[in-house]
């Protein structure tokens, strides 16, 4: 994929990111931050690719460290966000 | 494995991208927030399965073990963490993500060429390292492993300037030579810069710093997506970067702060005022029975919950007291400060758990005008959010933050354990005022006693 | 540019389009419709490319017709939108 | 010419794309709307310069002449058109855009291959043609070159079904063979389908049909961007398609209609009720002096402007009357129906021109509860938007549309020229009610007389 295409995708994603959260209430700031935090854990995908194509031991070791860290980000992020939002459940049911 | 043709891989990544967008959309509204988060997790799952099916990978077993290790650390911690400790956990997860992005970029450097790719690598290494180290410091602050007050090293300004200059020079060298060891040095410089950046941030502003670092990690991930030519990383990271920027501003606005002020205010020497010294001026403390009489014969009570309510897990007792008062004809409303507790929305979550109706919770702007007509303001484990220093002492670390004006009420009752200050570490003059009554003790115990006394009225 | 990249761009643009207008007041419905109408007049760009690469007379003629039509859409669209919005000017100045 | 390297071309197109996004954002808020439109125009200009500088083009002179011709037609028309005729002009411009997209796709077919590209070509040809023909019909309806009532040809359902089937078969053949003449036949079928689609749409619903066709043209342009591999066309068209879809729904909701109901309601035979026959039951008409007395001694007057106010260009006189009444102590508010006039926002624009303060204009939901406390509802050239048939007669074409409840006021005064019905062509029972007074005549003349009489009170 050429650079301009990637740049276009980047620019559009910036607009989507801006617009999507522009009207969020302060109650949801923390869960939103936490959920967004989980999303960037997708760097796990990059870590896996790098680890899977490692050509020397030190590269493999560093990449595996990255895999562990990224997994914590991705998995932990979604779990902790879900736990936060669980609290809202009761209220939703009541309405 | 190479089971999937390229087009299918692309489509599945696109699917995951859409899941991420829908996740953020969902998270922006209370009704759909939980579903949104699950959609995001599903998208990530699809993406991870796709990468294993579509890419020729060695060391698959080791990778799976590493994933298992990561999950085995993260899941139990996430399950066991207390509500109040969630912000530091988010900080931690953000930091490790930044670290992973920096490492990935470092390793990708060897197979990257071209100005754009090298620039993206240098950016990711630097920003990822800053995010890793900065998040570590925020974690330490929130976990109270170090002081929550702004820390200024001697010559902090010069140190910051030097590390910035070093980072720029190293980045330029990486661009020129493409040497991995130079990028590794850049990474180390990034770690130092991250620490220096967050040390001067005062405790109350830490969540904003976390949000900012979160947005930075997003951008680092986006840049590594650019390096790897992977659209999912690019879009996912960019979404977080963009929405995180907006979110940081919104959070800062809710606390009446500016983002640059938070990061660089201490450097200018503005917010180091305030003192942890507890003075020994006289205060008026009283018994649960006295407080019960005050409340039981009041027409309108404004309850201001804070961090102490959360610590004491007193939300159920509080809700029961409120409904008992209401059956006696006293109107009870809750005044919710946007940054009461330790994370935005903390009080809403807590009181929702105790089935307090949503309508009884009023935001700062709604409730402040009603303070004048309140007979009692009942401050339960809150301190900074009612501290008039935010309005009166320009040197104070919380100066400029909008507060709940409990001093407008006829009487103010504080439930707290001691004269110790709150999160920001500054004394509250209101505790010494004649219209203030203190009931010392754990919030839950105090409330239980007051409740019993009200029932006996 | 490959198909998946174009598709990604398309999907992101859909989200941007949805989000951007999701909170518009009914007063602005007509100008917004008119402005959006002008934007799709950018088909002029496509018409020009086709006309400029025409390899036979009938293709050229048809493409030139497309150029005329697309120009009307693009130019007329922006002008008429501007005229509509001119009406709002007075009010803005007053405030 | 080939003056620009590919990367620069891409960046300039990206710049134009961003301009288009900012244009739509700007157009969504009154304060920035005009600037938004100009940003969009600037983006288009940049894109057009770019295409000439970056592409090897023959026939440049002819192309420039064609552009000049198009501009020479469009600009004067746009400048001269009356406010009230703007919707049909938008329809016209939309139609020609759709036509251009269809022609471009038709010509691109010869150099296209692959399933995706052929599908996009067939889509663009069909949708562009539908949009062209459909917009033509809406133009004719709004320009009153034909009846504004729903038109149902004998066997309309079968014709629709047949043209749909033909379109599908032809599209499949185009996909299979890639023959241009088949696509040309598809284009003709699209024209027929466009006419059939819009004929049954009742006059009041025409703006919604225009908005829908506008969104379709956007999608057609996006598809031709896909065929040409041009990101700007792709994004520009998609933006219009997506935002147009939302807009169509919002407009339909404001009129209390559903989009499918509008397109296919008449086919099901629902909305052909109502009658243009003017009955000769007695009404109460009175003089300007009587109306002046009613108004001059009222405490609160609600003015309901409609299409007739725009036709008579009576907004200045109306504003003067209102301020004269206010100096006499009468409160005057304007009740603005979202679809009063001939385009959404028509009344706001008109009254803004006459410097009526923004605060005096109230939307339907705000003003309806106040009707009960109004002494007089002054209906100036409006009819459908106050017609109780929308609430009471299920067979009526406007049934379900929310209305301004002027009958809740103590007195209702209508300023109109005759007993003729409004846009929807149905009688208004309110004209015959005892609390209603009619003042016949052109709105501007009537208002001038009333104004003079009020001044003499
Ligand atoms: N919401 C956020 O996003 C967020 C995040 C991080 C930081 N902050 C900051 O945190 C602060 C929040 O203000 P706040 O007023 O809610 O809290 P606070 O200022 O930290 O005060 C909490 C008070 O609760 C009392 N307390 C603690 N445990 C208690 C217990 N078991 N029973 C009764 N009282 C107890 C403490 O006094 P004793 O020790 O005397 O009992 C303390 O004075 C602000 O400075 C804010 O900026 C907010
Ligand atoms: N706003 C939109 O987006 C839009 C777009 C298209 C269609 N529509 C439809 O248009 C209608 C709008 O309702 P409306 O109440 O504003 O208008 P209307 O129902 O069309 O009524 C207009 C009235 O004004 C009178 N009139 C015409 N010229 C006049 C003049 N010079 N002086 C005084 N009176 C004059 C006419 O009666 P006389 O002939 O007896 O004078 C007519 O009864 C709705 O049906 C709506 O759905 C709206």
């Amino acid at each position: 994929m050429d650079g301009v295409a990637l740049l276009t995708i980047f620019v559009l994603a910036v607009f989507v990111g801006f617009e999507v959260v522009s009207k969020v209430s302060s109650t949801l700031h923390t869960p939103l931050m936490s959920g967004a935090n989980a999303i960037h854990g997708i760097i796990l995908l990059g870590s896996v690719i790098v680890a899977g194509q490692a050509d020397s031991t030190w590269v493999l070791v560093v990449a595996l460290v990255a895999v562990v860290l990224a997994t914590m980000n991705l998995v932990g992020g979604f779990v902790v966000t879900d736990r936060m939002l669980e609290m809202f459940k009761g209220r939703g049911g009541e309405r | 494995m190479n089971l999937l043709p390229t087009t299918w891989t692309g489509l599945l990544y696109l699917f995951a991208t859409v899941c991420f967008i829908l996740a953020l959309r969902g998270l922006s509204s209370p009704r759909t927030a939980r579903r949104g988060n699950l959609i995001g997790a599903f998208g990530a799952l699809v993406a991870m399965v796709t990468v294993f099916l579509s890419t020729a990978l060695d060391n698959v077993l080791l990778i799976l073990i590493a994933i298992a290790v990561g999950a085995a650390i993260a899941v139990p911690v996430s399950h066991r963490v207390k509500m109040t400790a969630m912000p530091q956990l988010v900080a931690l997860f953000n930091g490790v993500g930044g670290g992973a992005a920096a490492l990935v970029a470092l390793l990708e450097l060897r197979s990257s060429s071209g100005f754009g790719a090298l620039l993206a690598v240098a950016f990711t290494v630097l920003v990822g390292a800053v995010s890793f180290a900065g998040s570590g410091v925020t974690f330490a602050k929130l976990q109270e492993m170090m002081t929550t007050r702004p820390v200024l090293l001697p010559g902090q300004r010069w140190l910051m300037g030097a590390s910035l200059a070093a980072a720029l020079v190293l980045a330029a060298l990486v661009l020129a030579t493409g040497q991995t060891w130079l990028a590794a040095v850049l990474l180390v410089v990034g770690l130092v810069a991250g620490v220096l950046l967050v040390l001067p941030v005062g405790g109350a502003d830490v969540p904003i710093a976390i949000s900012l670092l979160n947005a930075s990690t997003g951008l680092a991930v986006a840049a590594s997506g650019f390096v790897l030519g992977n659209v999912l990383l690019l879009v996912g990271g960019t979404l977080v970067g963009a929405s995180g920027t907006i979110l940081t501003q919104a959070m800062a606005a809710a606390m009446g702060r500016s983002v640059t002020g938070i990061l660089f205010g201490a450097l200018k020497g503005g917010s180091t005022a305030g003192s942890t010294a507890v003075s020994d001026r006289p205060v008026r403390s009283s018994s649960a029975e006295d407080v019960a009489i005050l409340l039981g014969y009041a027409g309108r009570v404004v309850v201001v919950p804070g961090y102490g309510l959360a610590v004491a897990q007193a939300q159920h007792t509080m809700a029961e007291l409120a409904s008992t008062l209401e059956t006696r004809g006293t109107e009870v409303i809750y005044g919710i400060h946007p940054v009461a507790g330790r994370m935005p929305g903390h009080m809403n979550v807590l009181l929702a758990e105790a089935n307090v109706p949503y309508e009884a919770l009023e935001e700062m702007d709604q409730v402040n005008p009603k303070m004048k007509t309140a007979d009692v303001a009942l401050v339960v484990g809150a301190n900074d959010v009612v501290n008039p220093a935010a309005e009166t002492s320009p040197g104070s670390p919380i100066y400029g933050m909008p507060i709940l004006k409990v001093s407008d009420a006829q009487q103010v009752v504080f439930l707290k354990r001691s004269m110790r200050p709150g999160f920001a570490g500054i004394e509250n003059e209101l505790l010494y005022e004649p219209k203030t009554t203190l009931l010392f003790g754990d919030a839950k115990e105090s409330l239980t006693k007051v409740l019993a006394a009200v029932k006996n009225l």
Side-chain angles (χ1 to χ4, degrees), chain A, chain B:
Chain A
M1 214 174 276
D2 63 307
V4 174
L6 289 174
L7 198 62
T8 305
I9 291 173
F10 170 74
V11 168
L12 290 172
V14 167
F15 277 106
V16 174
F18 276 161
E19 294 291 334
V20 156
V21 302
S22 63
K23 40 207 158 176
V24 62
S25 95
S26 73
T27 316
L28 284 172
H29 282 174
T30 303
L32 184 57
M33 175 168 87
S34 178
N37 173 43
I39 286 176
H40 67 50
I42 196 63
I43 186 65
L44 174 56
L45 201 152
S47 314
V48 167
I49 293 178
V50 173
Q53 295 168 347
D55 48 13
S56 69
T57 314
W58 78 266
V59 171
L60 180 61
V61 170
V62 174
L64 287 178
V65 172
V67 170
V68 174
L69 296 182
T71 307
M72 287 173 64
N73 184 181
L74 187 72
V75 177
F78 283 119
V79 173
V80 87
T81 310
D82 190 61
R83 268 205 62 202
M84 270 182 218
L85 292 168
E86 215 171 0
M87 309 293 179
F88 284 86
K89 196 182 49 181
R91 191 194 303 166
E94 250 191 331
R95 272 192 197 151
Chain B
M1 283 178 281
N2 269 322
L3 289 180
L4 284 175
T6 323
T7 309
W8 272 99
T9 311
L11 289 178
L12 286 170
Y13 284 159
L14 180 56
F15 175 82
T17 306
V18 171
C19 286
F20 286 169
I21 297 175
L22 294 177
L24 283 183
R25 267 174 74 117
L27 282 164
S28 305
S29 143
R31 224 171 20 79
T32 55
R34 202 168 179 204
R35 194 174 57 210
N37 185 54
L38 293 178
I39 291 175
F42 181 68
L45 182 68
V46 169
M48 290 317 299
V49 172
T50 305
V51 74
F52 280 106
L53 292 184
S54 65
T55 321
L57 296 175
D58 303 328
N59 314 315
V60 173
L61 191 66
L62 284 175
I63 295 174
L64 289 176
I65 291 174
I67 291 180
V69 169
I73 301 173
V75 174
V77 175
S78 310
H79 270 299
R80 272 196 230 115
V81 64
K82 279 186 290 177
M83 257 328 266
T84 47
M86 281 193 183
Q88 47 263 53
L89 199 62
V90 172
L92 197 72
F93 289 155
N94 175 50
V96 295
L103 294 181
V104 168
L106 192 69
L107 300 179
E108 267 300 301
L109 179 55
R110 294 169 315 133
S111 46
S112 301
S113 60
F115 182 76
L118 290 180
L119 188 65
V121 165
F123 177 83
T124 309
V125 168
L126 181 63
V127 174
V130 167
S131 191
F132 180 77
S135 300
V137 175
T138 60
F139 177 81
K141 289 199 178 212
L142 288 180
Q143 195 70 6
E144 301 189 356
M145 286 157 55
M146 60 177 286
T147 172
T148 60
R149 322 211 59 242
V151 175
L152 273 184
L153 302 182
Q156 173 108 15
R157 277 189 219 217
W158 302 111
L159 287 172
M160 268 306 269
S163 59
L164 200 70
L168 286 180
V169 170
L170 282 163
L173 287 175
V174 170
L175 279 179
T177 65
Q179 290 286 320
T180 302
W181 73 269
L182 284 170
V185 179
L186 180 61
L187 195 148
V188 173
V189 171
L191 294 177
V192 174
V195 172
L196 290 176
L197 189 73
V198 180
L199 273 185
V201 174
D205 296 329
V206 168
I208 297 176
I210 296 178
S211 178
L212 193 67
L213 293 172
N214 188 36
S216 320
T217 308
L219 289 181
V221 171
S224 70
F226 186 77
V227 176
L228 293 167
N230 185 300
V231 173
L232 179 59
L233 294 195
L234 177 62
V235 177
T238 309
L239 285 174
V240 177
S243 63
T245 307
I246 299 279
L247 191 59
T248 307
Q249 276 165 358
M251 284 170 70
M255 301 195 192
R257 317 285 276 162
S258 83
V259 177
T260 49
I262 288 166
L263 288 182
F264 306 113
L267 285 186
K268 295 199 202 101
S271 67
T272 43
S275 136
T276 17
V278 174
S279 76
D280 41 29
R281 282 180 284 160
V283 296
R284 183 151 63 109
S285 83
S286 76
S287 70
E289 285 69 28
D290 293 339
V291 173
I293 291 169
L294 266 183
L295 295 174
Y297 296 102
R300 172 184 270 180
V301 173
V302 176
V303 177
V304 176
Y307 174 64
L309 183 85
V311 175
Q313 287 291 312
Q315 63 272 30
H316 294 281
T317 321
M318 184 63 239
E320 202 184 335
L321 175 61
S323 56
T324 309
L325 288 173
E326 296 224 304
T327 55
R328 291 178 55 91
T330 304
E331 186 196 1
V332 180
I333 52 186
Y334 292 81
I336 308 293
H337 192 281
V339 298
R342 284 297 175 270
M343 53 189 197
H346 201 164
M347 293 300 123
N348 302 62
V349 168
L350 212 65
L351 293 169
E353 201 200 327
N355 286 326
V356 172
Y358 197 67
E359 299 72 43
L361 309 185
E362 303 207 347
E363 293 188 8
M364 190 161 52
D365 299 338
Q366 288 173 287
V367 83
N368 267 342
K370 297 186 184 168
M371 283 293 183
K372 283 205 176 60
T373 61
D375 300 292
V376 184
L378 179 65
V379 183
V380 188
N383 192 349
D384 296 346
V385 299
V386 300
N387 193 339
E391 295 188 326
T392 55
S393 12
S396 152
I398 62 169
Y399 184 68
M401 177 172 92
I403 58 163
L404 285 162
K405 302 189 177 157
V406 289
S407 58
D408 283 351
Q410 300 301 312
Q411 298 269 340
V412 183
V413 177
F414 273 88
L415 306 191
K416 65 199 302 286
R417 296 167 309 176
S418 66
M419 290 303 289
R420 279 194 303 272
F423 190 79
I426 45 168
E427 250 197 296
N428 188 343
E429 283 300 319
L430 201 58
L431 298 174
Y432 304 98
E433 285 213 355
K435 66 162 69 163
T436 300
T437 308
L438 284 138
L439 175 54
F440 286 113
D442 175 77
K444 184 158 187 181
E445 285 168 23
S446 299
L447 284 170
T448 311
K449 285 186 209 148
V450 172
L451 176 59
V454 168
K455 284 187 172 152
N456 286 335
L457 279 182

